[in-house]
Amino acid sequence: MSGESFSLLIIGGYGAFGGRLAQLLGEEPRLRLLIAGRSLEKADDFLADMRSPKGGAGRLGGNDLGARLQAVAFDRDGDLEEQLTRLRPDLVVDASGPFQTFRQDAYKVVQACIDLDIDYADLADSTGFVASIGELDAQAKAKGVFALSGLSSLPALSFAALEAMAPHFSRIESVAAGIAPSPHVKIGLNVVRAIASYAGKPVAVLREGRQAKGHGLIDEMRVTIAPPGAAPLASRIFLLVDAPDLALLPRRLNGLQSTFTGVGTEPQALQRLLSAAARLVRLRLLPSLLPFSRLVQAASHRFAIGDHRGGMFVRLGGLDRQGRKLNCGWHLVAEGDDGPFIPVIGVEALVRRLLEGRRPENGARPAAGELSLADFEAAFRRFSITSGIRLDREEEALPLYQRILGSAWERLPPALAAIHAGGARIATGRARIERGGGLLARLVARIFGFPPAAADVPVTVRFATDGDKEVWTRSFGNKSFQSWQAEGKARDRHLLVEVFGPFRVLLALVPEGDRLRLVVRGWRFFGIPLPLFLAPGGDTYEEERDGRFHFHVEIGGRLTGLVVRYTGWLRLEG
């Protein structure tokens, strides 16, 4: 270490990712943080903003930052030996990029660090850069330093998720991974340039076990990101991106048949336009999308439409330990502004390990497998981030709600699990019914056959199985109405579908303590999607109280107001 504190130089320290890394580590008193970039003025401005009170020390700024912060000018094209000797860092983190555009002397920063006995890590997402850093392995080992490349979402986090799921398999045949940024996150210009550099151009992938050519931002797959127990992201198309995983996965997995890494942005209409532009590059009507990087960035900022949520997935397919077909997926959803911290959490974990005296092995290598999923999940707890693994065995028949909830099923209280255990069953109890007084509310209630208002009525619910559907017949006193429920397919995957005549309501099942909330995520009329803001909804949940199943169902909307609310309890007969 340099003196009594650990000196960390962040190249691109005031940028989109370097800045967030500085925020995560700013409260650490054992650190000397050097915020570096070509512009000393921008580095100074960033530190001034970081020191300003924002109601949250450390990652959000505050007055109790414990690290020694210093703005420095650093030019990667300048005299690296002089600059590094003068600044004397213990660790250099390159958070600049875009690494895809590095051509001449791509590893000059890494080489300079090795020559000066300085440890190195980066957030590179360039396949060529990350996959080939091992060429410097012997030099790094001889000098007693490490150089880790790609300590970011892809490949460090994606490989951590892969390693966590691998024990379920006897053979892994396919791997797909993707990132879905929130539309409200301001994407940095370097990120846009990195993607534009290969848009419409060949990207090496595996297909049927052989090397093949995909095309950046053209090849696609549809995925619904849905961590167990969380409301899923909207189903979306992911477009192929060139990520280090595509080169590293065949090295890790013998017999691998197919690979894919993608990005799925909202609004999807804007992504389709970008894909169309990539096709012009493929047809050689445009040489590259790089000159349009600023335009693409401006459009992404201008059309920030959709939920302020982002996510990530890693999906494996193959055979389980008994030789049965198995699909396994790790899903992550980040709320609000927390998503952009994910790419730097790996570096933060590395720094904290170094402060505790735990060093990685010396040598230069990709960071794939360097950290475990547990390392990342421990850091996720400080954020509004939910993640988890789903197992899908084709031959395994599970109750409807258990299939949708995945591992979150285990968190249900016993009374709720019993009600949703599947098969033919009858539950009886008591209920209170309230009805809306508006004309439209009364009309809707009449059409669907909802019961009249009552302070205390007997209730019977009959559950019947019809293939992969559950038919619910609810009787309140002498008034009955019926609906059926099933697991959503295709773009509605991981949602509960409830059908009332021509109306189809899409619901997310979200465990919350002793409650299971049912959150409306969409609705359709004769298969035609309708605006979500007009969807029927309300405060609807199930809970266990005193060992008994209780329900609270509220149906209403902007146009109708309250239509019906029924609350009460049930117990299974027999």
Side-chain angles (χ1 to χ4, degrees), residues 433 451 457-460 475-480:
I433 305 164
V457 295
V459 57
T460 300
S475 299
F476 294 84
N478 59 3
K479 185 71 174 178
S480 298

Side-chain angles (χ1 to χ4, degrees), residues 218-485:
I218 296 178
D219 295 12
E220 63 181 44
M221 71 184 303
R222 177 175 288 279
V223 176
T224 300
I225 295 178
L233 294 186
S235 177
R236 66 193 65 197
I237 294 293
F238 284 76
L239 299 178
L240 179 66
V241 295
D242 188 12
D245 303 53
L246 297 176
L248 301 177
L249 283 167
R251 303 179 187 176
R252 164 65 175 82
L253 300 170
N254 293 324
L256 189 62
Q257 298 295 300
S258 70
T259 56
F260 179 92
T261 52
V263 62
T265 60
E266 292 282 348
Q268 288 268 281
L270 188 62
Q271 179 174 272
R272 285 193 290 271
L273 286 175
L274 187 59
S275 182
R279 293 177 189 275
L280 296 179
V281 175
R282 182 183 179 184
L283 295 171
R284 299 184 180 180
L285 298 176
L286 283 175
S288 170
L289 293 189
L290 265 174
F292 303 97
S293 296
R294 288 190 182 277
L295 177 62
V296 172
Q297 182 195 34
S300 71
H301 293 177
R302 177 68 179 83
F303 298 101
I305 302 169
D307 293 341
H308 194 8
R309 312 172 76 218
M312 179 176 172
F313 77 92
V314 179
R315 193 162 71 186
L316 312 183
L319 301 178
D320 69 9
R321 295 294 178 181
Q322 288 72 46
R324 300 173 299 179
K325 286 187 177 180
L326 172 64
N327 291 304
C328 187
W330 173 81
H331 300 250
L332 174 150
V333 166
E335 307 291 344
D337 292 323
D338 286 351
F341 284 96
I342 294 172
V344 300
I345 281 176
V347 176
E348 184 210 8
L350 169 67
V351 172
R352 296 195 185 279
R353 282 184 170 192
L354 291 170
L355 291 174
E356 296 168 0
R358 295 190 294 158
R359 286 179 53 82
E361 291 183 9
N362 293 330
R365 60 191 177 276
E370 200 66 34
L371 297 172
S372 70
L373 188 58
D375 293 324
F376 285 96
E377 289 178 335
F380 292 163
R381 297 189 189 106
R382 291 173 295 158
F383 300 91
S384 295
I385 294 175
T386 304
S387 66
I389 292 173
R390 289 182 175 273
L391 294 173
D392 181 14
R393 291 183 173 90
E394 292 184 0
E395 298 85 356
E396 193 170 18
L398 297 173
L400 172 62
Y401 278 53
Q402 187 173 356
R403 293 199 307 270
I404 296 171
L405 284 167
S407 60
W409 169 265
E410 300 169 4
R411 307 208 309 258
L412 289 187
L416 274 63
I419 283 286
H420 297 297
R425 56 210 187 277
I426 297 174
T428 59
R430 309 292 297 185
R432 171 186 173 86
I433 305 164
E434 302 170 69
R435 286 276 295 269
L439 177 62
L440 188 55
R442 295 200 303 273
L443 178 61
V444 170
R446 181 183 294 273
I447 291 173
F448 286 98
F450 292 140
D456 182 28
V457 295
V459 57
T460 300
V461 181
R462 291 175 170 83
F463 305 88
T465 302
D466 181 10
D468 60 353
K469 302 176 184 176
E470 276 194 1
V471 181
W472 291 38
T473 303
R474 305 165 180 88
S475 299
F476 294 84
N478 59 3
K479 185 71 174 178
S480 298
F481 68 98
Q482 189 178 87
S483 68
W484 60 264
Q485 299 180 353

Side-chain angles (χ1 to χ4, degrees), residues 478-526:
N478 59 3
K479 185 71 174 178
S480 298
F481 68 98
Q482 189 178 87
S483 68
W484 60 264
Q485 299 180 353
E487 183 180 7
K489 305 296 182 184
R491 66 175 60 221
D492 300 331
R493 196 172 182 219
H494 304 309
L495 293 173
L496 177 71
V497 177
E498 184 157 20
V499 177
F500 299 86
F503 288 94
R504 178 179 295 249
V505 182
L506 309 173
L507 300 160
L509 303 181
V510 183
E512 188 180 275
D514 288 336
R515 291 181 175 178
L516 176 65
R517 291 199 173 274
L518 288 82
V519 182
V520 176
R521 299 296 293 170
W523 65 314
R524 300 194 178 104
F525 179 68
F526 283 113

